[in-house]
Amino acid sequence: MTGFELILSAALCLSCAQQNDTSLPAGLIELDANGEVVTISPELAASEPSLDDAPLETVKTLLAKKEKIDKLKEWIKGRKLVIATLEDYPLSYTVMENDTRVGKGVAFELIDFLQDQLQFTYEVVVPEDNIIGSREDYEKSLIKMLNNSEADLAAAFIPALSEQHSFVFYSTTTLDEGEWIMVMQRPRESATGSGLMAPFDFWVWILIFISLLAVGPIIYMLIILRNRLTGDDEQKPYSLGHCAWFVYGALMKQGSTLSPIADSTRLLFATWWIFITILTSFYTANLTAFLTLSKFTLPYNTVSDILYKNKHFVSARGGGVEYAIRNTNESLSMLTNMIRNNHAVFSKSSNDTFNLQNFVEKDGYVFVRDRPAINHVLYADYRYRKTISMNDEKLHCPFAMAKEPFLKKNRSFAYPMGSNLSELFDPKLLNLVESGIIKYLSTKDLPNAEICPQNLAGTERQLRNTDLMMTYYIMFAGFATAMVVFFTELIFRYLNSRHEANKWARHGIGRTTNGLSVRAPRWLRQLETDSDKQRLTSSSNESTITPPPPYQSIFSSTNRHQENHHKDATHLSKDRSLNRWRRAGQFGNMIGGASGSQFGALAGGGGAGVLLGNGHFSGGNGGAGGVRRLINGRDYMVFRNPNGQSQLVPVRAPSAALFQYTYTE
């Protein structure tokens, strides 16, 4: 005999009347422990219940109950019962054999056991819509068949729902505690996070980002405040950019060129370093643990996940889940709005494989089904996929099952209101429940190992592109930001150049709007130099810029300049335009004149020396005086033109040669 048959035989013996066929020899005298003669066997005396000390009411109740049970046994013996059931594989379902509907599953194994004990026959019927039914879903339901006495018994694992109590009588023996489990597509990555973002929670990343932005300005302001309060000039305040760059560099574990002198500033820097050291240590450790030893978690584990994430899910039409949602006094009534928003779908198909492939695999829904049905459908799917590939476990187990139950409800048989079958069947069913036979029957066709667990231990954890996706995002964002800044610089440079070009075009190169001489921008100096060279080397008719005089003429005597000045009247305007180049040479002629100006003397006489002093000469031209200066290691003659601008004329030979070449060649 098999183990199951032994257990079943033991249950049968418990439900049978105590019988003892052992007969003692006639005339045998039995003695008890005290040596007295006994009239019955000690075993029978120990097992025989005594009613001598029982109350009279209890004795009458027991006798009445026993008499009633005996009458029910006589009544049901040979009677044909109508048993209704649901298509709920593997707990209850039907098949057609010789045009007769035959009940199968755990429920009908229990019915067959009762049939053997009580000697009745039965026929199986199924409600037209294969639903349990409710007050608003009454037609073509199981509870209608029971309430209208169309069936004597509902042999199915029916959840005990509050609204259905007013239509049917549930068995006093609870067959099991039903658990409805969620099944979904196996995600490619754990719900705890992916790659570089996994070690820390979302709010931890937010606070790290805020600290990265805030610490730099805080350090900058504290340094400024410290310098103003103490008046200490040793610690020079760092710029805001330097402080922000120090914070970012410390986060990347890079050094810094900043070397604070003040103790308070050093403490600020050291505090940030300690914070970053601890933070990066935790991050490195958690990242290593996540990539090697992390536990795979699903995105939807409880009803709250379905509700808050507004996830679509599917369940059986007319089952316990649907009525637990639709009834306001049930535990899942908070999901009522999901039915209105079409996020909850109730399939009319009783084929779980069809629902799994069409709703879960194709549409990504979460499938809610009771645990025995889920285990059987996943095992059947696993065996089928095993024939396709023997080694790829990800192909074998494309679905994952949540750990937490979606719904828990006690399940039992149901009878019509006022039926006496409960008194006859429930005690025997209770013996089967207590012996563990019902639990065994619901799992006997399944392997002992867990089917497609969440953690597929057979495959090694390898890094995928999804794990490194954050690094790709960071690189892309960095390069994209650099390109945007680069093109922005080009645009602003172009706009500034257009603005400067328009200004020089309106007022002349080297001139402002009020006519003052200014230094042209660097980008325009080369253009200015090249254009001046081209204009100076072109013909006099086409030239619009008066070239400077020869270098020797600047420091020549006044008489020679005056002779050249009065030599030809046609050159008067040209001499006046070049007058600013000759004033430095005119100073020497005014020394010791009648005007009495104190300009000093030119070394070497004749206007060819170093002019010292300051003042105004009394010539007809009326210009400013000049003085010799040493600027950047070079000698220059400095004087002021009529516009008030300082002019420099190189004096020494190398600078003079460059000056002469620049403006004449």
Side-chain angles (χ1 to χ4, degrees), residues 303-314:
V303 179
S304 300
D305 296 334
I306 297 292
L307 179 61
Y308 295 146
K309 298 178 182 179
N310 211 19
K311 177 63 177 177
H312 291 77
F313 69 93
V314 59

Side-chain angles (χ1 to χ4, degrees), residues 110-126:
L110 302 180
I111 293 296
D112 291 340
F113 168 73
L114 296 176
Q115 183 184 21
D116 293 338
Q117 292 290 308
L118 302 174
Q119 302 298 318
F120 64 87
T121 61
Y122 64 91
E123 65 173 333
V124 180
V125 294
V126 178

Side-chain angles (χ1 to χ4, degrees), residues 48-64:
E48 182 72 17
S50 175
L51 299 178
D52 294 339
D53 298 331
L56 183 60
E57 295 181 358
T58 304
V59 174
K60 292 182 179 180
T61 302
L62 293 175
L63 293 176

Side-chain angles (χ1 to χ4, degrees), residues 446-459:
L446 297 175
N448 294 329
E450 184 180 1
I451 304 169
C452 293
Q454 289 186 4
N455 291 316
L456 297 178
T459 58

Side-chain angles (χ1 to χ4, degrees), residues 1 9 18 48 57 59 65-66 98 236 315 332 385 412 430 441 445 470 514 536 544 556 572 594:
M1 297 177 65
S9 300
Q18 295 291 335
E48 182 72 17
E57 295 181 358
V59 174
K65 184 176 181 181
K66 185 176 182 303
N98 299 325
K236 295 182 179 179
S315 186
L332 298 181
R385 296 177 185 273
S412 61
L430 180 60
L441 293 175
D445 295 329
M470 184 54 60
N514 56 5
L536 289 173
T544 58
S556 62
L572 181 60

